[in-house]
Amino acid sequence: MWILPLVGYLGVIVGFSFLTLAIASGLYYLSELVEEHTVLARRLLTRLIYSIVFIQILLFLFDRFPLSLSVLSIGSHMVYATNVDDMPTFTEVASYFGLCVWLVPFALFVSLSAGENVLPSMGSEYVTGERISTVGVSSTALLPEGRNKNKGMAKALVDGVRDWVKENGELMGFWREDRSKRF
């Protein structure tokens, strides 16, 4: 019984995709409503902000929420309230998000490939001090199919999963190994 779990996984993937599309469609519809009814949206947002501030005050007074976190939350919502009154321009919003929100994550993402030899990798014996005994073995025998000896951890993981799927697919009879490539 291995088809039913596969159907279950496929159902989860399809369901998650539809849920994501439904949320995106709902947000798109709400943004259209806000664009059409800006005065009503401003009133609702202002009332929402003041309601949340009121709830924060009640949580502090009756449920003993920490003072510093309550003040921080109330201060943040007061900043939001000033944004509702005088709307920033698109250029100001885009600049804020570009510089203050996304600059560092994008820079870190881009720099991931910069130091591949610095991070631990498969075959980095010179860093760990471990030595592989190569007595009587040629250097091409150590590297299967001419692959590079230094392999990043993500690539090693993907290669391992790919080899595992290939071997199990052959064992289950989904495809056959090409024996002409082995020798």
Side-chain angles (χ1 to χ4, degrees), residues 74-166:
I74 291 170
S76 298
H77 282 84
M78 288 298 110
V79 171
Y80 301 154
T82 61
N83 286 341
V84 173
D85 293 336
D86 53 342
M87 299 299 275
T89 65
F90 175 77
T91 307
E92 292 170 343
V93 172
S95 299
Y96 172 78
F97 275 96
L99 295 175
C100 298
V101 176
W102 290 110
L103 182 64
V104 171
F106 278 148
L108 289 174
F109 180 74
V110 169
S111 70
L112 286 177
S113 64
E116 287 181 344
N117 292 332
V118 177
L119 298 174
S121 62
M122 301 295 290
S124 59
E125 302 85 32
Y126 60 92
V127 175
T128 60
E130 299 175 11
R131 299 281 182 216
I132 297 175
S133 175
T134 59
V135 176
V137 179
S138 68
S139 62
T140 57
L142 293 174
L143 302 174
E145 301 173 8
R147 292 185 184 159
N148 189 1
K149 187 167 76 169
N150 287 333
K151 186 188 300 186
M153 291 187 337
K155 184 171 180 356
L157 177 69
V158 170
D159 287 345
V161 170
R162 187 189 63 204
D163 292 342
W164 180 81
V165 169
K166 178 183 171 194

Side-chain angles (χ1 to χ4, degrees), residues 30-38:
L30 286 175
S31 69
E32 290 290 325
L33 283 177
V34 167
E35 285 182 15
E36 291 177 14
H37 307 286
T38 56

